[in-house]
Amino acid sequence: MRWPNWFRKRADKAVMRPFDENALVELAPPSLDQSVEEGMMLADYATRMAVKNHIVVDTIQLGNAFDPSRHTGAAAETLRELADEQDQAAIRVAVAREDVEGLGGDAVHPHDYRDVDVDNLRRREEAATVLGAALRERAASEEELLAIVERARVEAWGEVGAAIEASLYAFSGAEALKANYEAERPARLRLLIQRDLARLEEERGGY
């Protein structure tokens, strides 16, 4: 039996064109402001994570009342460490830039810089230098440090609150297996509010 021609699957003949590098769209490099802004966003995130952990350890594990001034030092230290990293990065990039000025040829790996990379390396060096200075300026600002601590406190409480809710859900699930759970539930809630939460508030000094 011969199948109709319209039923046969015809393979399209793909025409392979030679690669044309000139056809690639050249993207404009990020500006100095864009590079610094992106670096500040990453540094802000890293600093908040460090301060959040500092808050959790200090208040939950050590039992100290929350006081923003107890955590601004941790924020400043983290910012200064990040600034030091940028200073070191600027030095490394400057050395690489000086080594490849006038060096021709094709690169053999991503970090094999040549003379065509000098402008890009200069931009990276400048961005690292400016970012390091901006981080040190933030580390010296009490207002900026307190703002970081507050954001970290909100995130820390969100994580702790989520953990408490998960524990309560697990507990309520086990209690629901009891035949008299629904009858005892209102009394258990009143006991939680009147006794346990009041005791926790007293122990934490209102925190």
Side-chain angles (χ1 to χ4, degrees), residues 21-172:
E21 186 176 354
N22 294 326
L24 296 175
V25 178
E26 185 176 356
L27 299 178
S31 66
L32 176 62
D33 290 341
Q34 290 173 331
S35 298
V36 173
E37 181 181 2
E38 181 179 351
M40 290 296 287
M41 290 175 59
L42 294 174
D44 182 69
Y45 175 79
T47 305
R48 290 201 324 272
M49 294 304 99
V51 175
K52 180 190 69 177
N53 294 335
H54 193 271
I55 291 173
V56 171
V57 170
D58 190 61
T59 57
I60 304 300
Q61 295 186 15
L62 301 182
N64 295 314
F66 176 76
D67 182 355
S69 63
R70 294 179 63 87
H71 310 288
T72 53
E77 181 181 1
T78 302
L79 289 170
R80 286 192 292 265
E81 290 176 354
L82 294 173
D84 290 341
E85 291 179 4
Q86 291 302 314
D87 290 345
Q88 294 300 317
I91 293 174
R92 290 194 301 269
V93 174
V95 171
R97 175 179 55 78
E98 294 172 357
D99 289 343
V100 301
E101 287 184 346
L103 180 63
D106 296 327
V108 296
H109 56 78
H111 299 289
D112 183 22
Y113 302 117
R114 304 290 168 150
D115 187 72
V116 295
D117 300 309
V118 167
D119 288 341
N120 182 45
L121 292 172
R122 184 177 289 108
R123 284 192 294 268
R124 289 173 52 188
E125 176 188 353
E126 184 178 8
T129 300
V130 174
L131 179 57
L135 291 171
R136 284 198 170 80
E137 181 179 355
R138 178 169 292 188
S141 171
E142 187 71 14
E143 182 179 355
E144 292 281 358
L145 295 177
L146 289 173
I148 292 174
V149 170
E150 174 58 21
R151 292 197 298 271
R153 182 196 66 79
V154 172
E155 293 180 0
W157 175 243
E159 289 190 4
V160 172
I164 292 175
E165 287 184 358
S167 298
L168 290 175
Y169 282 136
F171 175 77
S172 63

